[in-house]
C-alpha cells in the first residue's frame, strides 16, 4: 500500500534535561543554537474534553498545552466540540520546555492527515548551556487552580528576575570600549 511521506520526526542532537530551581526540569543544549534552527519535530496526542478532565487530576496536566492552537476542523475529526476544553500532550523534549515571557524558542503545530506534529524552533541565538524556553501563553495559566497559579507565577517572576540580574549587573559595569595600555 502506498502512503504519502509525512514530515520526518526529528530532534537536534545534544539536547538534554536538567533541574531548574523553582521550575523542575528544563531543556538545555550542549552546543550553541542559531535563530531559526529546528530543535525538534515530534508527535502530539490530542485529548478530548472528557479525557482533559481526567488529565487535570494527574501530573500530566503540567505537561499539556492548550488545543486552541490547533484548527477547529482538525479537532472536530476527534469529536472535540470546544478547543478551550481540550488539550494536547507533546511527546518529545518540547513538553519539558519551561515558560519565559520573552522566550528563546517557539512551538508551532503541523497537521498532516490525522497526525498533529509540534515543531520547536529557536527564535533567537541560544548560547550553549542556556535553558530553552517557550511562552505558554495566558491560556495555560488560566487552566490552573488559583493557589497553584499564584505560586507558579511568583516562582516564574523570581526566576526571570534572577536571570535578568546578571545581565543588568554586567550592563552597569560596562564603561565603554577597553583600551590597552603599553
Amino acid at each position: 500500500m502506498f502512503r504519502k511521506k509525512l514530515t520526518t520526526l526529528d530532534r537536534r542532537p545534544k539536547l538534554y534535561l536538567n533541574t531548574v530551581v523553582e521550575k523542575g526540569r528544563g531543556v538545555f543544549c550542549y552546543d550553541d543554537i542559531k535563530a531559526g534552527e529546528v530543535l525538534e519535530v515530534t508527535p502530539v496526542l490530542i485529548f478530548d474534553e472528557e479525557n482533559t478532565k481526567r488529565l487535570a487530576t494527574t501530573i500530566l496536566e503540567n505537561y499539556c498545552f492548550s488545543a486552541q492552537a490547533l484548527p477547529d476542523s482538525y479537532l472536530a475529526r476527534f469529536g472535540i466540540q470546544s478547543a478551550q476544553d481540550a488539550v494536547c500532550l507533546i511527546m518529545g523534549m518540547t513538553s519539558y520546555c519551561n515558560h519565559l515571557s520573552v522566550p528563546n524558542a517557539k512551538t508551532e503545530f503541523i497537521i498532516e492527515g490525522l497526525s498533529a506534529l509540534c515543531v520547536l524552533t529557536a527564535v533567537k541565538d541560544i548560547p550553549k548551556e542556556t535553558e530553552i524556553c517557550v511562552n505558554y501563553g495566558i491560556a495555560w495559566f488560566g487552566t490552573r487552580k488559583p493557589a497553584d497559579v499564584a505560586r507558579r507565577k511568583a516562582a516564574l517572576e523570581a526566576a526571570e528576575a534572577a536571570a535578568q540580574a546578571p545581565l543588568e549587573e554586567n550592563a552597569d559595569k560596562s564603561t565603554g570600549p577597553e583600551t590597552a595600555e603599553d
Side-chain angles (χ1 to χ4, degrees):
M1 176 172 160
F2 176 76
R3 291 186 178 186
K4 176 184 166 195
K5 183 179 177 189
L6 299 177
T7 302
T8 302
L9 301 180
D10 194 18
R11 179 179 299 146
R12 183 187 198 283
K14 300 186 180 179
L15 291 180
Y16 67 95
L17 293 177
N18 200 0
T19 302
V20 180
V21 177
E22 299 292 334
K23 292 184 178 182
R25 290 176 284 186
V27 180
F28 293 78
C29 191
Y30 288 115
D31 295 328
D32 292 339
I33 298 169
K34 296 288 182 199
E37 188 174 336
V38 173
L39 306 178
E40 182 174 61
V41 179
T42 190
V44 175
L45 292 177
I46 310 299
F47 292 90
D48 63 18
E49 298 92 338
E50 181 181 333
N51 286 307
T52 295
K53 288 177 187 171
R54 288 187 185 121
L55 280 174
T57 65
T58 73
I59 194 165
L60 288 177
E61 174 189 40
N62 295 318
Y63 299 92
C64 290
F65 289 76
S66 170
Q68 292 175 332
L70 298 168
D72 289 338
S73 58
Y74 177 75
L75 296 173
R77 295 178 188 178
F78 301 98
I80 296 171
Q81 303 294 315
S82 169
Q84 199 169 358
D85 297 326
V87 296
C88 54
L89 179 63
I90 299 169
M91 298 304 294
M93 297 281 283
T94 301
S95 65
Y96 289 97
C97 286
N98 285 310
H99 169 81
L100 196 60
S101 297
V102 181
N104 54 17
K106 67 178 180 177
T107 55
E108 295 178 285
F109 294 95
I110 298 173
I111 306 298
E112 292 183 345
L114 292 178
S115 298
L117 302 172
C118 181
V119 180
L120 178 65
T121 306
V123 295
K124 56 177 128 181
D125 291 348
I126 304 172
K128 67 180 179 180
E129 309 299 331
T130 300
E131 184 179 10
I132 299 166
C133 295
V134 298
N135 187 323
Y136 292 173
I138 199 73
W140 189 86
F141 293 98
T143 62
R144 301 310 185 261
K145 296 173 187 149
D148 290 343
V149 171
R151 181 181 53 78
R152 289 179 186 154
K153 184 176 180 186
L156 289 171
E157 288 171 351
E160 287 178 6
Q164 290 298 320
L167 298 175
E168 291 168 3
E169 185 177 300
N170 288 336
D172 291 341
K173 291 180 183 177
S174 176
T175 58
E178 294 181 22
T179 56
E181 295 182 21
D182 292 70

